[in-house]
Amino acid sequence: RSSDLLVFDGLGKSTSDIGDIVDEETELTIVAWVYRTATSGTDYFVGEQGALRVGLTASNQVECEVMGIDATGSPDTDSFTSTATITLDEWYFITCIWDGVNKQFSIFIDQNKETQASTVVMLDAGSNNAAIGDEYDGAGNYYEGVLDELIIFDRDRKSVV
């Protein structure tokens, strides 16, 4: 794919404290080329403490999770999982889109819409504790595999899929 790949061994290697991903956004898109080399549970390849995380489940489904507040102002979390699974040792173009304006979350794998669901959760304003290669909550859910062209947009980028 590229000479600038991010390779993670699943043993605690991550790029942490990369700054704030979520900062009062009403829309967010995360895209990446993903190559998973092993399954050890739900392993997140990007996350911000108390706001969001994106990864792959033990059954090799894409999971996008948003954390924040519900309509009443109470803490809440919504998690969305793709219907399709991925195969180990193959490249996939994964996109997670959170549209806070229309209160929807979408997951795409190789430009095919896998999941679209409604959510009442509004993203929590950033914590400045974002990481690539894990979910940044200390739980040890480190990603094992390779990432390329990871991009985080502060808007709904359906045009990338």
Side-chain angles (χ1 to χ4, degrees), residues 1-58:
R1 295 230 18 99
S2 170
S3 61
D4 296 324
L5 301 173
L6 295 172
V7 179
F8 299 96
D9 60 10
L11 301 174
K13 178 182 175 186
S14 67
T15 304
S16 59
D17 295 325
I18 60 171
D20 192 9
I21 295 173
V22 178
D23 186 25
E24 305 295 333
E25 271 78 38
T26 56
E27 299 175 321
L28 190 68
T29 300
I30 299 171
V31 298
W33 282 98
V34 176
Y35 185 95
R36 191 176 202 184
T37 56
T39 303
S40 62
T42 300
D43 302 321
Y44 298 95
F45 54 83
V46 66
E48 181 170 344
Q49 186 177 21
L52 68 97
R53 54 191 179 183
V54 180
L56 300 167
T57 68

Side-chain angles (χ1 to χ4, degrees), residues 61-62 64 79-84 95-97 104-109 112-118:
Q61 295 169 290
V62 177
C64 301
S79 182
F80 304 92
T81 306
S82 66
T83 52
T95 305
C96 288
I97 299 173
Q104 291 187 332
F105 216 106
S106 302
I107 299 173
F108 295 81
I109 300 175
N112 296 309
K113 186 183 288 185
E114 295 297 330
T115 302
Q116 183 169 353
S118 297

Side-chain angles (χ1 to χ4, degrees), residues 101-142:
V101 174
N102 296 306
K103 297 186 176 11
Q104 291 187 332
F105 216 106
S106 302
I107 299 173
F108 295 81
I109 300 175
D110 291 336
Q111 299 181 318
N112 296 309
K113 186 183 288 185
E114 295 297 330
T115 302
Q116 183 169 353
S118 297
T119 180
V120 297
V121 176
M122 296 302 295
L123 280 175
D124 191 8
S127 63
N128 291 321
N129 291 327
I132 298 171
D134 71 14
E135 62 182 300
Y136 207 99
D137 74 349
N141 295 324
Y142 296 105

